Every structure is written in C-alpha cells, then in structure tokens.
C-alpha cells in the first residue's frame, strides 16, 4: 500500500485551471481518470488526511503511485477528454456502465454504396445509422417487413448481393417487390440511397409526411381511373399505419426526448432510458453499475450521458427546419443521435458544460432538465419503475454470484498461502497433435471473471524453430516469452515515466497500454508437477519472484505448487476449486480453438502456395479459371498467362512447379 505523500505534487505546481488528471499504480497502469474545473483544488482534496476520505477513495489513492494532469482550454473540452481516456484505459476505479443485455438495433449502413437494412448488436460502426434499441429482434423484423412495401431497401448480405450481380437475377425479395433490386440495375445507386434516406426519415419520426404523400398519390391515381395503382398505394398506407401503431403515443405534443431514470444504493445502481421520437417510444435500454468510486447521483448521471452519447461514430439527425427542410442531414459525430430534450432524475453538477457538449454533438441546442409535471413527469415515473424492476432482477441473479466470487478468491488465497486474494489470474495451456502445430494459450481472469480482451495465443517454436520436444519444454518457452515481454514492457514504461516529471502535460493521443506490462497475482498452468517445475524454472531464470504459481492436474483435480512433493487438495465442493477449473477449462478451450485453426490451414495448403511470386489472389484466379490443380497442370504457359493478373514469367513458374520440368510452350502453327 503506497503512501500518497510520496507522490503528492509540490505546492504551487498544480495549475488553477480546468483539466483532466490520471492516477497510475506502481506498474504505470491508469487506475482512475477525473476532470476538474480547478485542478489545484480537486487534486488537493485527494491528499488530505486519509481518515477524511471515502473508503473507496482511500483505496484508490493508496493503490496509486503517481498522478499526472493535462490542462485544457474549457470545461467542455475536459468533459470530452475525460470520456476518451476512460474509454481508452478502462480504469478500475472509474464507474463502468454495462448493458444488462445485448440489445438489438435496427441499422442502416449508409456508409456503403448500396445501403443495407439489418439487425445489429454490439459496438457501433462508423457510417451506420441506428434505431432502437429494441427488446427483441423479432420486433425489428416485423417492422422492417411492413416498411419494405413502401421503402424497398436492400436487406441481403454482401455475398448474396454479389451473387445476384454475377447471375443477373435478383433474390426472392426482388421478385415480390420488397427490394428495389439495385444488384441487377432496376434502380441506380442514387435512387436506392434516396429510398434508404426516406426509410431513415420515417424511422426517425417523420411518419405523417410519408402517409400524407401516399394518400395524395392514391387520390390522384383514383381520379385518373388507375384503380390497381390506387389499391397498391392504399395497402402501402395501411402498412405504414400498422408500423406506426406498434408504438403507442406517450407524449401527445410529438416531443423527441430521451428519458432517464436512476435507482440504487451505495454499492450499485440500475439505469433505464426510454428513447422517445415524435411522441412515441422508439427504444429502451438499461444498465447496471457497481459504484467503484465515490460519486453522487448527479455525477452518475453525467457519466451516464458520456456513456450514451460519447460512443462510436454514427449518423445522426440535424434539424434544418430553419432552412425549410426537415430531411435528416447525413453527418458523422462521436455520439449517438442527441434529441432536443434529455430528461434526467437529477441534474449533473456541471449541467451547463454538459448541455454545451451535447449541443456540439447534435449541432443545435440541447436542454438537460428534470421534469416537474405533466406527461413527461408521468413518463419519468414509468421509466423509474422499470429501473426498480431491473435492479431487483439483477440482485436476484447476482446476489449469490458476487459472494461466490469473493469466497472463491479467498479460498484460493488461503489454500496457496498468498498474501492477498489473486485479483488477476493468468492460466496457460499447451495444445499439440503428435508434435505438430504446437500452440499455447494465455487466458486472464480479473476479480473472478474472464477478461477476454487480454487473452493471447502463442505459437511454440522450440530451439530449432520446429516446436518443443514435449509439453514441459513448450510450457517453459511460453512462460519465458510472456514474462520476458513483461519485463521489457515494464522497463519501457518506467523509462517513459522517468522522463516525465510529476504533473507535466502528457499528450492525450498516441499513448497505448503495453500488452504485457501488468503482472498477474497468480499463474496457473494446466498440468501437474512437471509443468509447474518447468514454469518455475522459467520464472527463476528471469528473476521473477513476486508472482505466485500453481498447476491443476486433470486426473484428480490436484493443485500443485512449486517445491512441494505433495499436492494441495481442495474440497470437491470448494468454490476456489471451481474457479480454478473454470480458468483451466477456458485456457484449454482457447488453446484448442487456435490449434484447430492452424491445423486446418495446414491441411488445406496447396502446391500453388509454393510457387514463387504467386500470391493468394492469383492462385484463387487460376483455380477459378481452370477448376482444379490437375487441369492447371495440363495447361501450357500461354493458357496460364492469359488468366487475369498473370504474366509469362509467373506462368512459367507455375508450370515448372507443377510439372517439375521445362515449361511447355504452346504448339506453333503447322508448316
């Protein structure tokens, strides 16, 4: 535990200006990011008597080993920089909002030449317009099926689209008029993009505009005695009205707003948001957060708005009513579509700066306020009830899980005689088939949960590049490579920090976390006494003596520790044994997956891979032209050189490699 006075900035060194600060631990890892109107006042509050600090703040400042800061021009810049650093470094002491489920979105890929409508989950992609989130994917598909009558936008995958282009025949949706079939040239790229933009405008809330337009065209067709056209337009109007009726009106004045609710206690909180567009609920989303830092409800709301609107680049609406047009304008922004009103349960402490930041994202004025009366207050209470139910469900699911994870880590600590619970566990497994395609895996568990972004693969090379002689040699190589890299990254990080005085400005861009700079508290190897001995020898050779080590043998699930002739036996019902089994099995699964991938690539190798100057693209072109290697072997140099991308020299090399003799020339004309 560090003493905060050892890294406290000198008096007068911290500027009295807006900025963002970072606390780092002894390994240089960023553990907390914060912003302040006055860096001097805010940082000074961390270095008071420890007894006056909140317990979580005490833990943070005693875990940290240094602090640095960056001065910015305005508080709005500080807000944006704080979010970008939290996203980049993922500090352990910052509040993290995590979705309570993977919500599906309706996405329109406006960044493509021919935009596509599809269901998407996960992280947002640049150049894509999102609507939702929705509770169920089938709700999106029902809505899309209705709207494709009026807006026949492409919904097929890239492979289906290319196949239709090659054959000149559209897919089934093209034949039943639920796709405009740009793949076969029925509409141009510009006409198809206009359909996609009309689809987006309708989904954004401009429903009445398109219903009135179709009704007017239906009336004109009826007056012109074009009854079949009028009947089709009548059905289109009915489809739009059915799609609209799926969302009940909750704000009769047609307001567009995001309504947030927050319910929780000192340890955790649940958040719900309803996305209301044109008076109708267009999506719902929820988060559950564990309060790892000392924050008020207002600060939680501020972090939440950063999470919702500061995410991936995407397309959003810009109100152009002052220019006489309400068509959404395509623009890229670092956040989600921001409405005019954001209704929150508690105002953030710097509400003016938050509004200014949201205004820059939206391209117009944004009001953040607490509803006091009327329909908006009633809707806020509904959202709050949803948050209460979400928190109750979360506690039901997780009450035992948090306790179980803590119990498991404590049992491992006691069984192995560790000074503290192993918050970061790394497990290694070697996979091989008769000595070939040797691979190893490293999986990471933090606080008893897998951290998949830290997983790594190793290709075992051996002393001669042909692989290790056995599993123990492979384990020795993998542990050596991992911790040698750790020492190198640690030395590099120390050298970088040594050149920066406490409080000096550090560039916000270009700095990336070293991959292996952070050591684990416990290393687990898949195997018994031989594998543990090999891993211990590797650590001793590198001088690493501050990392605990054990092995888990599969046969009797025995836990082996170095220099102990007898294994540690954990009870069969032990939560600690269950966690070690989970870690070991995850390492085995990850290693086996990579091993199968390498083995499959080795089995699908071709003799064409050995031809000098022949890459994958031209090899694929040859196979597409001739159909097989046997037919290529029967061809002459002229036929091979005629393939797109080939030349006489490469064609001669192909014939030489396949036939092992002098390349055959095409027969000349008879004399």
């Amino acid at each position: 535990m560090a003493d905060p006075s050892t890294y406290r900035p000198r008096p007068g060194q911290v500027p009295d200006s807006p900025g963002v600060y970072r606390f780092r631990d002894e390994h240089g890892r960023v553990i907390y990011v914060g912003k302040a109107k006055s860096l001097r006042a805010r940082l000074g509050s961390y270095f008071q008597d420890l007894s006056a600090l909140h317990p979580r703040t005490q833990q943070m400042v005693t875990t940290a080993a240094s602090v640095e800061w960056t001065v910015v021009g305005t508080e709005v810049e500080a807000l944006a920089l704080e979010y970008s650093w939290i996203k980049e470094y993922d500090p352990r002491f910052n509040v993290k909002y995590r979705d309570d489920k993977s919500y599906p979105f309706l996405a329109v890929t406006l960044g493509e030449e021919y935009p596509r409508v599809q269901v998407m989950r996960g992280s947002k992609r640049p150049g894509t317009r999102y609507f939702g989130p929705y509770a169920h994917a089938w709700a999106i598909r029902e809505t899309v099926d209705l709207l494709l009558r009026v807006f026949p936008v492409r919904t097929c995958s890239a492979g289906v689209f290319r196949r239709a282009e090659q054959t000149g025949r559209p897919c089934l949706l093209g034949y039943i008029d639920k796709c405009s079939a740009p793949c076969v040239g029925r509409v141009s790229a510009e006409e198809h993009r206009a359909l996609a933009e009309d689809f987006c405008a309708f989904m954004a809330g401009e429903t009445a505009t398109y219903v009135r337009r179709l009704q007017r065209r239906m009336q004109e067709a009826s007056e012109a005695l074009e009854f079949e056209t009028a009947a089709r337009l009548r059905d289109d109007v009915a489809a739009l009205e059915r799609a609209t009726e799926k969302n009940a009106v909750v704000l009769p004045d047609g307001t567009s707003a995001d309504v947030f609710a927050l319910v929780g206690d000192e340890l955790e909180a649940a958040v719900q948001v309803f996305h209301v567009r044109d008076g109708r609920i267009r999506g719902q989303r929820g988060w559950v957060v564990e309060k790892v830092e000392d924050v008020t409800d207002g600060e939680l709301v501020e972090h939440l708005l950063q999470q919702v609107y500061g995410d991936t680049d995407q397309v959003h609406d810009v109100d152009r009513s002052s220019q006489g047009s309400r068509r959404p304008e395509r623009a890229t922004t670092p956040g989600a579509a921001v409405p005019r009103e954001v209704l929150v349960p508690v105002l953030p402490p710097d509400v003016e700066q938050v509004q200014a930041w949201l205004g820059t994202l939206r391209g117009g004025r944004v009001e953040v306020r607490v509803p006091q009366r009327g329909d908006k207050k009633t809707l806020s209470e509904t959202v709050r009830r949803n948050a209460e139910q979400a928190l109750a469900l979360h506690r039901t699911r997780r009450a035992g899980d948090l306790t179980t994870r803590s119990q498991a880590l404590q049992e491992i600590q006691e069984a192995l005689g560790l000074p503290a619970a192993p918050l970061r566990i790394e497990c290694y497994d070697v996979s091989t088939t008769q000595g070939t395609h040797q691979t190893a895996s490293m999986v990471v568990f933090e606080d008893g949960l897998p951290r998949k972004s830290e997983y790594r693969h190793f290709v075992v090379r051996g002393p001669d590049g042909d692989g290790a002689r056995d599993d123990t040699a492979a384990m020795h190589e993998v542990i050596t490579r991992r911790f040698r890299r750790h020492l190198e990254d640690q030395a590099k990080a120390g050298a970088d920090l040594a050149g920066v005085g406490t409080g000096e400005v550090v560039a916000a861009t270009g700095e990336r976390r070293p991959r292996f700079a952070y050591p684990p508290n416990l290393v687990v190897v898949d195997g018994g006494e031989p594998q543990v001995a090999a891993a211990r020898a590797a650590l001793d050779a590198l001088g690493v003596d501050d990392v605990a080590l054990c092995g888990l043998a599969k046969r009797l699930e025995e836990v082996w520790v170095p220099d102990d002739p007898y294994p540690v036996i954990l009870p069969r019902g032990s939560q600690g044994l269950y966690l070690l089994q989970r870690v070991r099995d995850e390492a085995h699964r990850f290693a086996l997956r990579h091993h199968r991938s390498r083995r499959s690539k080795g089995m699908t190798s071709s003799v064409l891979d050995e031809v000098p100057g022949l890459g994958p693209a031209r090899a694929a072109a040859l196979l597409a032209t001739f159909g097989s290697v046997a037919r290529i072997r029967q061809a002459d140099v002229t036929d091979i050189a005629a393939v797109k991308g080939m030349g006489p020299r490469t064609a001669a090399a192909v014939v030489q490699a396949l036939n092992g003799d002098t390349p055959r020339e095409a027969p000349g004309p008879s004399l």
Side-chain angles (χ1 to χ4, degrees):
M1 185 174 69
D3 183 359
S5 63
T6 59
Y7 63 90
R8 178 175 184 170
R10 295 189 301 273
Q13 188 178 14
V14 184
D16 188 16
S17 306
V20 183
Y21 54 92
R22 294 179 291 185
F23 282 87
R24 293 180 180 268
D25 63 11
E26 59 182 350
H27 304 292
R29 186 174 189 172
V30 176
I31 61 172
Y32 185 75
V33 173
K35 65 174 179 60
K37 294 181 181 179
S38 170
L39 287 169
R40 179 179 301 170
R42 176 61 60 84
L43 289 179
S45 67
Y46 289 102
F47 296 99
Q48 55 181 304
D49 185 7
L50 287 178
S51 61
L53 297 176
H54 190 278
R56 284 186 286 272
T57 306
Q58 288 182 19
Q59 185 180 6
M60 188 274 292
V61 297
T62 54
T63 303
S66 64
V67 62
E68 57 195 34
W69 56 86
T70 298
V71 176
V72 297
T74 65
E75 296 169 32
V76 177
E77 292 179 22
L79 188 69
L81 182 58
E82 179 194 31
Y83 173 75
S84 66
W85 276 355
I86 290 175
K87 187 175 181 181
E88 177 180 356
Y89 296 112
D90 191 22
R92 58 177 294 194
F93 286 100
N94 279 95
V95 168
K96 302 177 186 67
Y97 288 89
R98 306 189 187 279
D99 285 349
D100 53 8
K101 66 176 81 172
S102 178
Y103 287 91
F105 286 80
L106 172 59
V108 185
T109 58
L110 292 175
E112 299 181 3
E113 181 182 6
Y114 297 99
R116 175 190 177 193
V117 176
Q118 60 182 316
V119 178
M120 277 191 181
R121 298 177 186 265
S123 59
K124 306 300 183 296
R125 304 176 185 176
T128 300
R129 183 105 179 259
Y130 292 87
F131 301 94
Y134 292 79
H136 304 284
W138 56 260
I140 304 177
R141 296 188 178 95
E142 282 187 356
T143 301
V144 170
D145 187 63
L146 290 171
L147 295 183
L148 288 181
R149 283 186 55 92
V150 186
F151 309 108
V153 185
R154 165 192 164 221
T155 57
C156 61
S157 65
V160 173
F161 189 87
R162 286 194 300 269
R163 193 178 309 120
E165 280 185 316
Q166 294 169 356
T167 62
R169 296 193 304 272
C171 63
L172 177 62
L173 292 178
Y175 283 110
I176 64 176
D177 296 328
K178 286 196 173 182
C179 178
S180 55
C183 53
V184 295
R186 287 186 185 174
V187 296
S188 65
E190 292 75 15
E191 291 171 331
H192 184 265
R193 179 168 293 277
L195 281 173
E197 291 178 349
D198 287 343
F199 179 93
C200 292
F202 183 87
M203 290 300 301
E206 296 186 30
T207 57
T209 302
Y210 293 96
V211 171
R212 286 195 300 267
R213 180 190 301 175
L214 292 179
Q215 289 174 338
R216 184 170 59 253
R217 290 173 54 192
M218 180 181 65
Q219 185 66 29
E220 293 172 353
S222 178
E223 293 173 354
L225 305 182
E226 297 176 357
F227 298 117
E228 291 184 0
T229 302
R232 180 176 58 79
L233 291 171
R234 177 202 60 201
D235 294 341
D236 290 348
V237 170
L240 292 186
E241 289 177 343
R242 286 199 303 274
T244 304
E245 288 169 358
K246 286 181 176 293
N247 293 325
V249 175
V250 293
L251 296 178
D253 56 354
T255 300
S256 293
D258 285 346
V259 186
F260 292 87
L262 176 69
V263 175
D265 54 27
E266 292 184 355
L267 298 178
E268 56 189 1
V271 177
Q272 288 281 313
V273 56
F274 282 11
H275 301 284
V276 180
R277 299 295 182 268
D278 197 27
R280 301 175 185 272
I281 297 176
R282 298 290 182 179
Q284 176 187 0
R285 197 173 181 184
W287 296 266
V288 175
V289 57
E290 295 179 13
K291 297 182 180 179
V292 295
E293 60 175 306
D294 181 22
V295 290
T296 64
D297 286 349
E299 290 170 329
L300 276 177
V301 168
E302 182 177 298
H303 292 320
L304 174 63
L305 298 182
Q306 287 179 313
Q307 174 87 10
V308 174
Y309 301 116
D311 208 355
T312 319
D313 291 352
Q314 51 188 301
V315 178
H316 72 111
D317 292 343
V318 177
D319 189 0
R320 301 170 61 196
S321 57
S322 60
Q323 303 176 15
S325 172
R326 288 184 55 82
R327 178 179 295 277
E329 177 180 77
R330 294 187 69 247
T332 57
T333 170
V338 184
R340 289 189 178 186
E341 288 187 71
V342 177
L343 306 180
V344 295
V346 181
L347 288 178
D350 301 323
V351 63
E352 294 83 5
Q353 284 70 37
V354 172
Q355 289 181 147
W357 174 63
L358 293 177
T360 59
L361 298 182
R362 182 178 182 272
R365 185 172 178 271
V366 176
E367 183 179 7
V368 180
R369 65 186 185 88
V370 179
Q372 301 295 331
R373 63 183 66 86
D375 295 323
K376 295 175 183 177
K377 176 67 173 178
T378 302
L379 181 59
S380 297
E381 292 297 330
T382 301
V383 181
R384 178 181 175 84
R385 286 195 295 272
N386 278 267
E388 290 173 345
Q389 294 174 3
L391 183 61
L393 181 61
H394 167 76
R395 285 173 173 168
T396 301
R397 290 174 176 173
R398 299 273 293 180
D401 190 32
L402 291 171
T403 304
T404 299
R405 292 197 335 252
S406 300
Q407 179 184 351
L409 294 174
Q410 184 177 0
E411 288 180 359
I412 294 173
Q413 175 189 352
E414 293 173 354
L416 301 181
L418 305 179
L423 298 182
R424 179 183 172 102
I425 301 175
E426 292 181 2
C427 185
Y428 298 82
D429 182 37
V430 175
S431 183
T432 181
T433 300
Q434 296 180 349
T436 63
H437 304 299
Q438 285 183 321
T439 62
S441 67
M442 178 187 92
V443 301
V444 179
F445 275 57
E446 288 191 354
D447 296 330
L449 295 175
R451 190 177 179 87
K452 295 191 176 182
S453 62
E454 302 285 336
Y455 286 15
R456 296 290 181 266
H457 284 129
F458 297 86
V459 175
V460 180
R461 303 187 182 97
D464 301 321
D466 298 326
R469 67 179 184 275
D470 54 24
D471 283 357
T472 57
M475 185 64 70
H476 185 280
E477 176 185 328
V478 170
I479 297 294
T480 300
R481 287 166 56 187
R482 186 269 185 263
F483 283 90
R484 182 188 295 134
R485 179 64 181 272
H486 158 61
L487 296 176
E488 292 172 356
D489 285 351
Q490 193 177 47
K492 182 179 182 300
D496 291 342
L497 291 175
V500 180
T502 300
E504 290 187 20
V505 174
V506 179
T509 59
E511 184 177 343
R512 291 293 182 268
R513 181 175 58 188
R515 295 175 64 186
F516 291 112
Y518 311 128
N521 302 110
L522 174 65
V523 167
V524 180
V525 298
D526 180 20
E529 189 175 12
Q531 286 78 12
V532 173
R536 169 52 63 193
L539 293 175
D540 291 341
L542 294 172
V544 177
D545 56 3
D546 57 348
V547 175
L549 172 67
C550 74
L552 185 62
K554 289 186 178 69
R555 189 170 66 90
L556 298 175
E557 302 294 9
E558 302 163 333
V559 180
W560 291 87
V561 295
D563 304 323
D564 194 334
Y566 300 103
V568 176
I569 305 298
L570 292 174
R572 286 298 174 185
S574 166
Q575 293 297 334
L577 178 60
Y578 172 71
L579 177 57
L580 290 177
Q581 289 172 329
R582 275 193 64 205
V583 173
R584 189 267 318 279
D585 293 344
E586 178 71 355
H588 182 67
R589 178 199 66 81
F590 196 56
L592 188 60
R593 187 183 72 173
H594 187 225
H595 178 262
R596 285 173 176 169
S597 175
R598 294 193 66 227
R599 187 177 60 193
S600 298
K601 290 180 180 178
M603 295 175 65
T604 58
S605 61
S606 167
V607 67
L608 296 177
D609 298 338
E610 306 299 326
V611 178
L614 186 69
R618 289 196 286 184
L622 282 176
L623 291 172
T625 302
F626 292 99
S628 67
V629 174
R631 291 185 179 181
I632 299 174
R633 185 176 283 113
Q634 296 171 2
D636 54 41
V637 173
T638 304
D639 294 334
I640 295 176
V643 177
K644 183 179 180 181
M646 300 293 294
R649 181 178 300 176
T650 307
V654 171
V655 173
Q656 176 71 26
L658 295 184
N659 297 286
D661 55 10
T662 304
R664 303 188 310 275
E665 299 290 344
S670 300
L671 297 178

